[in-house]
């Protein structure tokens, strides 16, 4: 536990920029962990934001030989899969329609 606490204190004594610069020239790389705002707007966000169907998402952070490994899709619309999910849980189409009418689900 003491070893871990000493390491944490060591990291806390310097800012992120210090640690990123320290890693330059080595065969490994480090990157800061960004907040959502920083991920979309901060330095290095260029090329890391994907707009899919009007929904902005953070792109996959790892690229192999310049290739983007992820297939991006917009998330489903609210209620888009309600019938399928409730059907798999055993609800009939009539029961799902009743729940939709009553405002229980969309």
């Amino acid at each position: 536990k003491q070893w871990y606490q000493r390491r944490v204190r060591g990291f806390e004594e310097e800012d992120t920029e210090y640690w990123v610069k320290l890693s330059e020239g080595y065969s490994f790389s480090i990157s800061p962990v960004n907040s959502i705002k920083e991920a979309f707007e901060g330095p290095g966000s260029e090329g890391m934001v994907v707009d899919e169907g009007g929904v902005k998402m953070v792109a996959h952070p790892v690229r192999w030989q310049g290739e983007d490994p992820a297939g991006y899709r917009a998330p489903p619309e609210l209620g888009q899969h309600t019938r399928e999910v409730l059907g798999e849980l055993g609800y009939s189409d009539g029961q799902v329609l009743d729940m939709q009418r009553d405002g229980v689900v969309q």
Side-chain angles (χ1 to χ4, degrees):
K1 185 174 178 176
Q2 289 177 345
W3 179 89
Y4 174 78
Q5 290 172 338
R6 283 196 309 265
R7 294 298 150 307
V8 169
R9 277 196 305 274
F11 277 111
E12 291 173 344
E13 290 173 2
E14 301 292 344
D15 64 10
T16 302
E17 185 178 343
Y18 170 84
W19 294 108
V20 171
K21 284 190 181 297
L22 184 68
S23 73
E24 291 174 1
Y26 290 95
S27 61
F28 63 89
S29 65
I30 62 170
S31 297
V33 176
N34 294 323
S35 68
I36 298 295
K37 182 177 173 74
E38 291 167 333
F40 282 102
E41 300 172 5
S45 65
E46 302 81 22
M48 292 304 298
V49 178
V50 177
D51 188 328
E52 186 62 41
V55 178
K56 290 186 177 182
M57 299 178 275
V58 177
H60 196 286
V62 178
R63 301 245 164 45
W64 290 269
Q65 299 174 350
E67 293 183 27
D68 188 353
Y72 300 101
R73 302 187 310 212
E77 297 284 328
L78 181 61
Q80 181 177 339
H81 301 295
T82 299
R83 283 188 174 187
E84 296 92 315
V85 170
L86 292 177
E88 288 178 15
L89 293 172
Y91 291 94
S92 69
D93 284 342
Q95 289 173 308
V96 173
L97 288 172
D98 288 343
M99 285 189 268
Q100 289 173 324
R101 183 193 67 237
D102 294 341
V104 175
V105 297
Q106 289 195 355

